[in-house]
Amino acid sequence: MEKWSLMTITVLLALTVRWAVSLGSYSGAGKPPMYGDYEAQRHWQEVTYNLPIRQWYFNTSDNNLLYWGLDYPPLTAYHSFLCAYIAKLINPDWIALHTSRGYESQPHKLFMRATVFVADLLIYIPAVILYCFSLKETSTKKKVSSALCILLYPGLILIDHGHFQYPCLSLGFALWGVLCLSYDWDLLGSAAFCLALNYKQMELYHSLPFFCYLLGKCFKKGLKGKGLVLLTKIAGTVVASFAVCWLPFCTDMEQIMQVLRRLFPPFQDKVANIWCSLSVLIKIKNVVSPQTQLKLSFAVTFLSLLPTCIKLTVQPSLRGFKFALVSSALSFFLFSFQVHEKSILLVSVPVCLIINEIPFMATWFLLVSTFSMLPLLLKDGLLLPYAVTMLAFLSVCTASFSIFEKISAEDLQLKPFSLSLKGYVSWFKSFPKIVRSLFLLSVTLMGILSVVSAAVHPPQRLPDLFPTAVSVISCLHFLLFLVYFNVVILWDSKNSRSQKKIS
């Protein structure tokens, strides 16, 4: 009873923070002609409600794809239609074809904000709470602390309830998939992840860990017996889930191909991935063709993923699966051809899942991930919510997990790696001091750059100086985190013990 009371307080606190952030500005407010992501979401409601399904993804006189054309999978379109149906009942002007373009009013803002609250309450928050309750060999206090830290992660709050989008839905579905797999409900887990993938195509970042973990389970059960049966059931579940989501678009092949063409545009500038950071020194677009860059990014991404995926397939364990979600998503973010700064949320939520295991590194990463979106947040007028939620999150993590007391090689799960170094193990005696110093330097640098970005005008010759600095510094952090997570995964002896339980 006590734990439910504590969880209720945690949820109420999380909702209060979300409500406070939602009172502020949103993407593109009062900025014609394109406005921002808020208008994109409203426009998709306009399109899906007023046009037949066969026109949703096609350029027509009633659907100008250059003006926030629908570029997410079918489940996003269905969600927009549902929101539009409710909006029509309240005020038809909100989604009137053509005339509602750029519509802004306080009642409409309240409605749009409410749709995110409902999505959070129905999908994401329950998944977080149940996941934290499912943690084994964990005290009630630690479960509540984990839930509080996850629900107060500033990056997702600021994008959902400040900037305005619905990443809580795709990430929530993915989290339900993880939760189901933790209970060995493999078919439900597969279906939940298919929903995530059919809501936002960037969930491909998580697809390989799901695939490798489930394939590894099938191998362990034997592909001539129970393993083959499980593999067949999982394949059938995936096909059925996709068939249901895509059924209205399966009238002809051109419909399917047009939807697919809309889902994969090129990468954007000023993002904390390796290609955008390298563009500071070398204009990659001027050196190699887009096709060559696509092949290069695919090769680098694949090679960075390979060791983790092989280990997870050979030694499937829930712990390894969660760490693989982090490593895979971070590799995709850093090296893939298509990326947006908000895609870092696909790394951050899996990091939230392991905050109880490595609280210091998880807290550090989550702070950097929010900082990496600073240019976007400043553009939306979210400086105050950014500063307050970052400080609150750091304070809660510090109080809940005493993070500065858990920075030894063992606490950071680097003990197996340190032992493998043999003669160099003595270097790890000063490891806690080094890590603490690096963390303080990192936080100080992020704080200074945040203040400078908000208060100082860049030189006229270098208008993108501060966004570029944020991008490069964040990218360097992420590269180091990628190395760290891969070391933990590849030198982890716990995986080999826990995977025996799956057999």
Side-chain angles (χ1 to χ4, degrees):
M1 193 70 180
E2 181 188 359
K3 67 180 180 181
W4 281 109
S5 300
L6 291 171
M7 280 296 186
T8 302
I9 294 171
T10 297
V11 171
L12 289 175
L13 178 59
L15 290 175
T16 301
V17 173
R18 283 158 168 76
W19 170 77
V21 170
S22 71
L23 295 176
S25 182
Y26 52 80
S27 171
K31 296 178 182 177
M34 293 299 290
Y35 301 92
D37 280 332
Y38 177 94
E39 167 63 10
Q41 302 293 332
R42 189 216 59 78
H43 181 64
W44 294 347
Q45 294 174 21
E46 171 195 344
V47 168
T48 54
Y49 188 86
N50 291 289
L51 301 181
I53 289 181
R54 65 179 178 275
Q55 293 184 25
W56 286 359
Y57 290 90
F58 279 89
N59 194 57
T60 66
S61 57
D62 291 325
N63 185 23
N64 180 8
L65 294 182
L66 294 178
Y67 185 80
W68 298 118
L70 191 57
D71 55 3
Y72 283 125
L75 212 55
T76 291
Y78 305 149
H79 175 232
S80 296
F81 176 80
L82 177 61
C83 291
Y85 184 84
I86 299 170
K88 177 80 172 180
L89 298 176
I90 301 172
N91 187 343
D93 291 342
W94 292 349
I95 57 163
L97 190 63
H98 302 308
T99 59
S100 64
R101 180 173 291 192
Y103 191 100
E104 293 179 305
S105 71
Q106 196 59 34
H108 183 252
K109 176 186 174 183
L110 182 63
F111 167 75
M112 294 291 276
R113 294 296 197 194
T115 61
V116 184
F117 265 88
V118 171
D120 237 351
L121 273 171
L122 292 181
I123 305 296
Y124 184 74
I125 291 178
V128 170
I129 298 301
L130 291 176
Y131 169 78
C132 292
F133 274 148
S134 74
L135 295 173
K136 295 177 176 64
E137 301 176 6
T138 306
S139 64
T140 298
K141 181 183 176 182
K142 205 169 181 180
K143 290 178 180 179
V144 174
S145 297
S146 298
L148 181 61
C149 291
I150 295 172
L151 291 177
L152 291 183
Y153 165 55
L156 188 58
I157 293 174
L158 291 168
I159 295 301
D160 265 347
H161 301 274
H163 173 82
F164 195 88
Q165 273 192 327
Y166 301 92
C168 60
L169 278 172
S170 59
L171 293 168
F173 284 131
L175 189 47
W176 276 105
V178 174
L179 182 64
C180 289
L181 294 189
S182 70
Y183 285 105
D184 287 327
W185 301 338
D186 298 328
L187 302 187
L188 283 175
S190 301
F193 182 67
C194 287
L195 292 178
L197 195 52
N198 279 289
Y199 190 89
K200 186 169 283 190
Q201 66 269 33
M202 303 315 292
E203 277 297 327
L204 283 168
Y205 284 26
H206 299 145
S207 58
L208 278 175
F210 270 90
F211 174 78
C212 292
Y213 175 69
L214 290 170
L215 183 62
K217 284 189 74 171
C218 294
F219 284 150
K220 289 297 176 184
K221 290 177 181 292
L223 283 182
K224 292 183 179 179
K226 293 182 179 179
L228 181 59
V229 174
L230 178 61
L231 184 61
T232 304
K233 288 181 178 179
I234 292 172
T237 301
V238 170
V239 170
S241 299
F242 269 82
V244 170
C245 291
W246 285 74
L247 190 61
F249 300 94
C250 293
T251 52
D252 62 71
M253 185 55 67
E254 181 55 27
Q255 276 276 342
I256 296 173
M257 294 308 298
Q258 176 63 10
V259 176
L260 292 175
R261 280 192 290 267
R262 292 293 303 157
L263 300 187
F264 299 102
F267 80 89
Q268 302 184 24
D269 290 327
K270 311 301 180 293
V271 183
N273 90 330
I274 193 69
W275 308 118
C276 297
S277 297
L278 283 175
S279 293
V280 175
L281 302 173
I282 306 169
K283 292 299 179 184
I284 298 174
K285 293 178 181 178
N286 298 334
V287 177
V288 297
S289 67
Q291 283 298 107
T292 302
Q293 188 184 341
L294 179 60
K295 293 174 183 176
L296 180 61
S297 63
F298 175 81
V300 176
T301 305
F302 177 76
L303 290 174
S304 68
L305 290 167
L306 196 58
T308 299
C309 290
I310 291 174
K311 172 122 188 211
L312 185 60
T313 306
V314 175
Q315 297 179 353
S317 71
L318 279 170
R319 186 171 181 281
F321 170 57
K322 288 186 285 187
F323 273 88
L325 286 171
V326 176
S327 176
S328 172
L330 189 50
S331 290
F332 269 106
F333 179 82
L334 283 170
F335 304 121
S336 61
F337 185 71
Q338 178 196 0
V339 71
H340 191 285
E341 62 261 65
K342 288 172 287 190
S343 298
I344 195 61
L345 297 177
L346 291 154
V347 191
S348 301
V349 169
V351 171
C352 286
L353 302 185
I354 55 176
I355 196 168
N356 64 304
E357 296 188 48
I358 47 169
F360 178 82
M361 295 301 284
T363 300
W364 191 358
F365 179 91
L366 294 171
L367 289 171
V368 176
S369 68
T370 306
F371 167 75
S372 72
M373 296 185 286
L374 178 64
L376 176 68
L377 300 174
L378 290 178
K379 187 179 177 182
D380 294 339
L382 295 171
L383 174 62
L384 181 60
Y386 162 79
V388 173
T389 54
M390 284 278 272
L391 290 171
F393 177 73
L394 177 57
S395 302
V396 168
C397 290
T398 302
S400 299
F401 291 106
S402 305
I403 59 174
F404 291 108
E405 297 173 13
K406 297 179 179 179
I407 52 177
S408 67
E410 189 170 1
D411 290 325
L412 300 183
Q413 303 193 10
L414 292 172
K415 193 67 178 289
F417 175 68
S418 67
L419 293 174
S420 70
L421 294 180
K422 296 180 181 178
Y424 300 94
V425 175
S426 58
W427 179 82
F428 274 77
K429 290 179 181 178
S430 57
F431 186 72
K433 289 183 180 179
I434 296 172
V435 170
R436 186 186 289 110
S437 299
L438 287 173
F439 175 81
L440 294 175
L441 176 63
S442 169
V443 171
T444 302
L445 186 59
M446 288 190 288
I448 291 173
L449 196 48
S450 295
V451 172
V452 170
S453 297
V456 179
H457 291 288
Q460 286 188 344
R461 291 188 304 108
L462 302 168
D464 295 323
L465 176 63
F466 299 140
T468 301
V470 170
S471 172
V472 172
I473 290 170
S474 300
C475 182
L476 291 173
H477 277 83
F478 293 146
L479 285 169
L480 292 174
F481 278 116
L482 181 64
V483 172
Y484 166 75
F485 286 121
N486 275 287
V487 167
V488 172
I489 293 168
L490 298 177
W491 270 265
D492 186 15
S493 58
K494 293 181 183 179
N495 282 355
S496 57
R497 291 197 299 270
S498 59
Q499 61 95 23
K500 294 177 183 176
K501 299 175 184 178
I502 296 174
S503 301

